[in-house]
Amino acid sequence: MIRDPIRDGIAGGWKAIDAAALERDLDLETDVAVIGSGAGGGVTAEILSAAGLSVAIVEEGPLASSSDFRMREREAYAQLYQESAARQTRDRSIKILQGRCVGGSTTVNWTSSFRTPRRTLAHWRDAHGLKQADEADLAPWFARMEKRLSIAPWPVTPNENNDILRRGCEKLGWASAAIPRNVKACWNLGYCGTGCPTNAKQSMLVTTIPAALERGATLLYRARVTRLATAGDRVVRCEALGMPAPGVSPAPQRIRLQAKHFVLAAGAIGSPAILLRSALPDPYLTAGRRTFLHPTLISGAVMPQRVDAHAGAPQSVYSDHFLDSLALDGPAGFKLAVPPVHPILAATILPGFGAEHAALMAKFAHLQVVIALLRDGFHPDSHGGRVVVRGDGSPQLDYAMTDYLWDGARRALLAMAEIQFAAGAASVMPMHEDAKPLGSWKEAKTAIAALAMRRLRTRVASAHVMGGCAMGPDPSKSVVDESGRHHHLANLSVHDGSLFPTSIGANPQLTIYALTARLAARLAASLGKPLSDA
C-alpha cells in the first residue's frame, strides 16, 4: 500500500482547516498570509516557515492527495482544475488548463521543468529594466530548487508518443533533447494530469507544503479570497469565503485573516483578479494588463503502429529548433513537445461531430499528438491580454490572437505535420474545424496554407498563464518592484508567474520556483528572520 503523507500529516496534527465546512465565522492571525498554494505559494510558505515566521496558506481549491488520485479523468478534471478544466478566454476561443487544488497546477501538470531561457532573461533586463534577473543571479536559485524538487533530465526511454517527435526531428535535422522532470521514483504511469497516485511527482503538494505544515503553518483550503482590505498604504486583512464543491457558490461563513505581510500567489489570473476585486491603489491601471499565454497549437497523427499515448511519462522530449532559430523580435517562435493523450482530453480536442468524430476516436490507440507553444510578449504585435472580473467577482482572461500570432500558428501546424510525416505517419490531422485527414506532407503543405487562421476555427489551448502583475522599476508599467513588493502598498508582495513581464518560451514552473525562492528569502530577511543558507 502506498503511504499518503498528507493523510498521515493531518492525522499527526497538521493545522489544516476546510473553510467550506466551517459552522461559524473564523478569525486568524499570522505573520505572513500566503494566498495560493501552487509553485509560488508553496515555495514561499516553506522558506518563510523555515525562517521561523508563522504562515497561513489560503487555497481556493480542495485538499486532495494520493489516496484520492485514481487516474480517472472524469473525477480529476472536476475536482482539481479551474472551472472543471473548462476555463476559456473571454471569447471562448482558447481553452485554459489550470490547477485548482492544494499544490495548484504543480499537482496536475506534466512535470516538465526548464530554466528560463537566457534570451528571455536578457530581454527582461534590456526591455523591462530588471537588473537582478540575469542568468548569473538566478543560477544558484535554480540549482537550489532543482535539488529540492529532484529536477533532472528523464533517463528512461521515451514512450512512443514522445519518441515519434524525437525521430521526426532527427530525420529532418532539427535538434531535440530530453526534458528535465521533477520526479522521484516515478512509476512511468502517464497520468500526471490527474494527480500522482504514487507521490513520485515532486509537486508542492508533497514537498514544500508538508514541510511548512510540519513547522506549524496553517493551511486553509476551499477558501476563496474575496478581497484585501487596506488602511493607508498597508493591507490590514484578507477576507475569504468557504467554497463548497463544485466551487461556484460560496458558503455564508466568513474568514478574516490578519497578518504583518501578505503574499499573493494565486496565479496569473487569480492574483490580478484579487487586486482588481479589492480596488487596491492602481493609478496607472497596470493590474491584470499584459497577461500572457503560450498559445498552443495541436496536430494529431494516425500512425501505422500502436502509440498508446496515454501510457508512460507524458512529456520527455522537446525541440526548441523554432525558438532558437528565430529572433525574439522576429516571427513568433515556438517550443515543440507532446501531450499525454487520454480519452476525455482527446475527445474534447479532436474536431468534427457524430460519425466523423467517432471514427477518429476509434483510432485512439494509434493516435500521436504534437503541440507547439507560441512565445508571446516580445514583439510589438504580441502584447498579451487582460484579466477582468465578472459581475460575480470571478476572473476571466480577455485575450485575442493577433495576426502576428496567427502567422506563428500556421507555421507551427506546418512544422508539426512535417515532423509527423517524417516519423512515418499514415495521416495527419491539424486541429482545425476546417481540416481533414491529410495523407502526405505534400498534401499537408497545400492544405494548411489554405486554412483560415481565425478564432473558433483553429483549436488553441494553453496550460501556461503568465504576467498581469509584472515586476519592474517603473510603477507606470509594472505592479511590483524587483523584490516582488507592490509599488503602492508596503506589506503586499506577489510571488507567482504573474510577475513575468512576458511569457518565457518554456514551461514556467521552474522559473517560478527559482524566482520566488529568492524573493521569499529576501522577504524573510526584511521581516527580521533571515535564512542561514540564503
Side-chain angles (χ1 to χ4, degrees):
M1 183 175 178
I2 298 169
R3 175 177 164 266
D4 186 333
I6 301 300
R7 293 193 178 185
D8 289 350
I10 291 173
W14 285 354
K15 290 183 282 188
I17 302 169
D18 182 354
L22 291 172
E23 296 181 353
R24 60 183 63 87
D25 291 356
L26 177 67
D27 289 282
L28 293 172
E29 190 170 345
T30 187
D31 288 333
V32 184
V34 179
I35 301 166
S37 66
V43 168
T44 296
E46 178 179 43
I47 288 175
L48 296 182
S49 62
L53 292 157
S54 63
V55 174
I57 309 163
V58 186
E59 168 57 49
E60 179 181 305
L63 174 58
S65 57
S66 55
S67 300
D68 305 300
F69 301 150
R70 302 193 294 174
M71 299 168 59
R72 296 177 182 175
E73 289 179 278
R74 62 182 177 85
E75 295 176 358
Y77 297 153
Q79 180 185 34
L80 305 176
Y81 285 77
Q82 288 286 0
E83 301 176 37
S84 299
R87 173 166 276 183
Q88 298 172 317
T89 51
R90 194 175 191 175
D91 65 359
R92 302 180 184 272
S93 66
I94 302 177
K95 182 184 181 73
I96 301 173
L97 292 174
Q98 284 185 299
R100 181 181 171 273
C101 54
V102 174
S105 292
T106 75
T107 298
V108 295
N109 69 22
W110 301 334
T111 76
S112 296
S113 304
F114 294 93
R115 292 191 178 192
T116 322
R118 181 180 306 168
R119 288 196 296 170
T120 297
L121 294 176
H123 178 82
W124 288 0
R125 178 194 64 217
D126 298 339
H128 297 278
L130 299 185
K131 304 304 181 187
Q132 302 172 35
D134 62 24
E135 192 174 21
D137 189 54
L138 286 173
W141 298 99
F142 280 124
R144 175 180 180 141
M145 296 313 300
E146 286 163 349
K147 181 179 180 180
R148 173 70 178 97
L149 302 174
S150 301
I151 293 171
W154 181 235
V156 177
T157 300
N159 69 0
E160 183 67 358
N161 194 34
N162 281 273
D163 204 47
I164 286 167
L165 172 61
R166 183 195 64 80
R167 297 198 306 265
C169 286
E170 182 178 56
K171 188 165 184 179
L172 295 168
W174 301 345
S176 67
I179 293 177
R181 304 181 65 219
N182 61 318
V183 295
K184 183 186 294 184
C186 177
W187 289 26
N188 210 21
L189 297 174
Y191 280 75
C192 302
T194 60
C196 181
T198 69
N199 297 307
K201 185 196 300 187
Q202 298 300 285
S203 67
M204 302 299 93
L205 177 67
V206 299
T207 56
T208 59
I209 292 172
L213 293 173
E214 280 290 332
R215 297 189 184 103
T218 298
L219 172 64
L220 187 67
Y221 60 95
R222 294 210 293 174
R224 174 176 292 172
V225 172
T226 53
R227 74 175 189 126
L228 301 176
T230 60
D233 69 344
R234 298 185 66 82
V235 178
V236 294
R237 69 181 176 277
C238 164
E239 298 177 0
L241 296 171
M243 289 299 299
V248 177
S249 300
Q253 285 71 34
R254 297 181 178 276
I255 300 105
R256 292 172 292 270
L257 179 57
Q258 293 181 311
K260 297 174 184 175
H261 199 91
F262 295 82
V263 176
L264 274 181
I269 291 178
S271 287
I274 291 171
L275 294 178
L276 293 169
R277 282 200 300 266
S278 304
L280 299 184
D282 188 15
Y284 301 102
L285 302 179
T286 55
R289 305 275 182 170
R290 287 184 60 82
T291 301
F292 297 100
L293 301 174
H294 289 140
T296 300
L297 287 303
I298 309 160
S299 182
V302 176
M303 307 301 293
Q305 73 279 17
R306 288 183 69 99
V307 177
D308 294 323
H310 62 282
Q315 287 187 328
S316 58
V317 174
Y318 76 100
S319 174
D320 277 352
H321 175 79
F322 290 96
L323 284 179
D324 296 340
S325 61
L326 295 170
L328 287 177
D329 58 356
F334 47 88
K335 176 183 286 285
L336 295 169
V338 308
V341 183
H342 299 306
I344 293 176
L345 189 62
T348 61
I349 295 297
L350 287 172
F353 302 92
E356 181 185 12
H357 187 273
L360 288 172
M361 288 300 293
K363 300 172 182 177
F364 179 79
H366 293 257
L367 184 63
Q368 194 272 341
V369 178
V370 180
I371 55 176
L373 291 72
L374 294 177
R375 184 169 53 198
D376 185 15
F378 298 87
H379 188 276
D381 294 328
S382 175
H383 41 72
R386 176 189 176 194
V387 173
V388 297
V389 291
R390 302 179 180 97
D392 64 356
S394 62
Q396 194 171 47
L397 178 60
D398 189 1
Y399 180 98
M401 293 278 287
T402 63
D403 289 344
Y404 170 82
L405 291 174
W406 283 128
D407 172 72
R410 189 186 305 279
R411 288 184 291 102
L413 290 174
L414 285 165
M416 292 186 287
E418 188 171 7
I419 287 169
Q420 289 167 318
F421 280 119
S427 64
V428 168
M429 168 69 88
M431 293 299 108
H432 190 291
E433 291 300 327
D434 301 326
K436 301 293 182 184
L438 305 167
S440 70
W441 169 229
K442 180 179 179 180
E443 183 184 2
K445 282 193 292 185
T446 301
I448 293 172
L451 289 174
M453 292 289 112
R454 66 174 189 266
R455 67 186 185 93
L456 302 175
R457 305 307 297 169
T458 312
R459 292 291 175 93
V460 184
S462 186
H464 304 156
V465 191
M466 299 150 282
C469 295
M471 57 182 177
D474 185 350
S476 70
K477 298 178 181 178
S478 58
V479 174
V480 301
D481 62 21
E482 272 204 82
S483 69
R485 298 248 187 170
H486 195 279
H487 282 303
H488 307 290
L489 293 163
N491 65 333
L492 177 63
S493 297
V494 178
H495 288 190
D496 59 24
S498 69
L499 292 167
F500 300 172
T502 65
S503 76
I504 62 172
N507 304 59
Q509 71 169 342
L510 180 52
T511 299
I512 299 171
Y513 294 145
L515 184 59
T516 58
R518 187 184 68 179
L519 296 180
R522 293 180 178 179
L523 176 59
S526 74
L527 296 175
K529 298 286 187 177
L531 286 171
S532 60
D533 63 341

